[in-house]
Amino acid sequence: MQSNTLSDILVSLNALTADRAEAVKLAEIQTGKPQEAILREQNLVSEEALVKAKAKYYNVPFIDLSTTPVSPVAMGLVSQEQARKFKIFPVSVDSANHELVLAMAEPLDLATVEFVEQKTGYRVRPAAAMADQIDENINKRYSTTLSQEVSAALKEVSTEKNVKTLDVTRDTGIVRQERISEVVTHILDFSVKARASDIHIEPLERSTRVRYRIDGILQEKLTIPRELHEALVSRIKILSSMKIDEKRIPQDGRFNFKNSEQEVDLRVSTLPTSWGEKIVIRLLKKSGGIPDLPELGLRGRALKNLEDSILRPHGIIIICGPTGSGKTTTLYSVIQRLNTPKVNIMTLEDPVEYKIPGVNQVQINTAVGLTFASGLRSFLRQDPNIILVGEIRDQETADLAIQASLTGHLVFATLHTNDAAGTLPRLLDMGVEPFLLASSITAIVAQRVLRRIDDKHKETYKADAPIIADMKEALGSLIPPTFDGKLARGIPSPENNNSGYKGRVAIFEVLPINEKISRLILERAPASDIEKEAKQAGMVSLKQDGYLKAIEGITTIEEVLRVAQE
């Protein structure tokens, strides 16, 4: 049965109870006011639910402007004054069908639709959007718009594309560099302001999308016309000292970017895809320093176990976790703590991410034979006290790291395993002898990175009963006696990119190698037995550490389950 009133649709969306809907209908008959006015007056539903219901009622799409990428070409068609006057925001353009998607506070305002169609020459496809999001986008997006630069660059491309004859007196069809330079500057400038760690510039069939990894999650923020992709790639390649004419193989490069806020080191990687070259830029801050271990999220027994291990003069400490779990940052924090003029610290990295004064950092270069194994062999002739091996990838590197630790060196290394206990069977599978492993490894750290709740915009709520039960079962005796089932969550705002999160924090499990675990290594025991023994010895697991941080209001339960659920 088709819902026929606004309140019926809100009931179908689970935003309003059936009883409340009947009361709204009754009030409509008694007062003569429309249902929308009654719902707003009595504050019965959220603004978002109301706009979604209106969209369904009017049979138009709903657009969430906080997560929708914006096309500079579309913004070039409607001025800021017009957008503000009519409460509209241009979202995207379909050049093939000559259509303009327009976010509107009132999508049935036919006079506005007709005005925009006459002004732009495009057929308007209206979409419902929240009024406050439209205002926010008008204020924020138009101040940093690329519409003029993109429109001017597009004209240069399109006029050249229409020229069929070879005319040596004309330009070569290359977009003027200053236009594209503005586009690149805007992309980089936004990444710094948004605290992004990576930028993805990806060619699609009809456009190029720009995504930013903010607090570990990719967010699409911009779409650029397909015609500008080649010029954009060429500009970034020139800055990165890459070969512009080589488009068949991946390339790597780097350059620096400095704006009014800070200077960042950019690592650039290109990759040929079916629609053109994709570019990924990794941002490495030059300022801000390396965080201390407690700042990363290490505390209590886990922190003490790691600190005890790094103060030993020899042995291996392994940090494990998947790509992007913050292993390198943790290693740098440890190295920073040990870095004094009295010790010789040498690192083998791929790539060297941050330069640390006083530390001898070596970049892996497989093209000339400098691998983790060959570099480690050379290190032992350089009289080191502390060695950092970026990653143990094979038996040769593992054997050399163990030999170095047994001959009086403190060795740090990373490994791609899911948890601390799983590291030992992995090394045994690589062919490392159990007796060497048992006598050399002093501690294993597993970690994940999750998003931190924005402290300035947060609220508490009562967690569901199954979640509370799961937390109590997982934590056991670790659960704080004051825990009453209330957890925290972020409130989306422009300051936190409408995510409710700002910044990141790590969760850890630190497995110190005691006598019983050494015996299990010699017996080639499975990871489950090692983990059981470690927990009996007091190890806090990743999930337990995550739950404790959720109870403290540092992160949300959803983040913990996203990264630490087995």
Side-chain angles (χ1 to χ4, degrees), residues 33-315:
K33 289 181 181 176
Q35 289 190 14
E36 185 180 345
I38 295 162
L39 288 161
R40 284 189 197 278
E41 278 173 13
Q42 297 183 19
N43 204 19
L44 293 174
V45 291
S46 68
E47 181 66 21
E48 186 176 353
L50 188 57
V51 176
K52 280 182 178 174
K54 278 173 66 179
K56 202 168 181 185
Y57 184 60
Y58 296 146
N59 197 24
V60 295
F62 168 79
I63 282 188
D64 182 354
L65 287 176
S66 65
T67 57
T68 304
V70 174
S71 163
V73 177
M75 289 177 66
L77 295 171
V78 179
S79 71
Q80 186 171 4
E81 293 72 29
Q82 290 164 353
R84 194 168 274 130
K85 181 182 175 183
F86 296 111
K87 276 262 191 274
I88 57 176
F89 187 79
V91 177
S92 62
V93 166
D94 182 348
S95 302
N97 297 316
H98 220 61
E99 286 182 338
L100 169 67
V101 175
L102 200 63
M104 304 177 68
E106 295 296 337
L108 285 199
D109 183 353
L110 298 178
T112 298
V113 170
E114 192 177 344
F115 169 80
V116 174
E117 284 186 338
Q118 286 181 351
K119 185 80 179 164
T120 62
Y122 281 75
R123 189 153 52 86
V124 167
R125 277 171 46 205
M130 290 160 66
D132 58 345
Q133 284 191 354
I134 289 175
D135 288 339
E136 185 194 321
N137 270 270
I138 291 168
N139 294 332
K140 199 159 130 190
R141 298 281 194 175
Y142 273 102
S143 61
T144 59
T145 181
L146 280 170
S147 57
Q148 290 175 336
E149 287 78 13
V150 169
S151 300
L154 265 176
K155 277 179 193 165
E156 290 172 16
V157 172
S158 54
T159 51
E160 294 306 329
K161 277 201 166 181
N162 294 333
V163 177
K164 295 286 189 287
T165 55
L166 176 63
D167 187 346
V168 292
T169 63
R170 295 178 71 87
D171 283 346
T172 55
I174 295 169
V175 183
R176 275 167 55 199
Q177 279 301 325
E178 59 264 33
R179 305 278 190 215
I180 287 298
S181 177
E182 289 288 332
V183 178
V184 172
T185 302
H186 171 83
I187 290 169
L188 297 176
D189 207 37
F190 182 85
S191 69
V192 173
K193 286 174 181 166
R195 302 173 293 103
S197 60
D198 300 85
I199 307 167
H200 292 238
I201 300 170
E202 302 166 312
L204 306 176
E205 185 177 4
R206 292 187 178 170
S207 63
T208 292
R209 71 174 175 181
V210 182
R211 294 193 290 172
Y212 297 89
R213 192 175 291 282
I214 301 168
D215 293 333
I217 306 292
L218 275 174
Q219 299 180 21
E220 191 174 342
K221 293 287 184 185
L222 187 68
T223 59
I224 291 170
R226 186 75 181 81
E227 296 89 332
L228 298 185
H229 185 75
E230 292 289 323
L232 196 63
V233 170
S234 295
R235 174 67 185 160
I236 294 169
K237 280 184 167 182
I238 289 166
L239 290 168
S240 314
S241 305
M242 294 184 201
K243 293 176 183 172
I244 303 175
D245 55 342
E246 182 53 84
K247 299 176 183 181
R248 298 163 302 167
I249 58 170
Q251 294 187 65
D252 293 302
R254 58 186 289 183
F255 66 99
N256 288 352
F257 175 72
K258 188 175 185 179
N259 66 1
S260 55
E261 292 175 32
Q262 57 181 289
E263 187 174 356
V264 287
D265 188 13
L266 305 172
R267 301 293 164 90
V268 185
S269 167
T270 70
L271 183 74
T273 70
S274 54
W275 296 116
E277 285 182 284
K278 174 182 172 174
I279 289 184
V280 174
I281 302 172
R282 165 68 58 91
L283 285 85
L284 304 168
K285 290 178 186 172
K286 288 199 164 187
S287 54
I290 296 162
D292 199 15
L293 290 171
E295 283 178 61
L296 295 175
L298 262 171
R299 69 263 178 90
R301 182 176 289 180
L303 178 60
K304 178 148 192 343
N305 285 338
L306 183 58
E307 285 179 331
D308 289 348
S309 300
I310 66 177
L311 292 174
R312 293 187 185 181
H314 53 81

Side-chain angles (χ1 to χ4, degrees), residues 370 373-382:
L370 177 52
S374 67
L376 195 48
R377 204 174 277 111
S378 306
F379 271 21
L380 298 174
R381 296 192 286 274
Q382 290 276 324

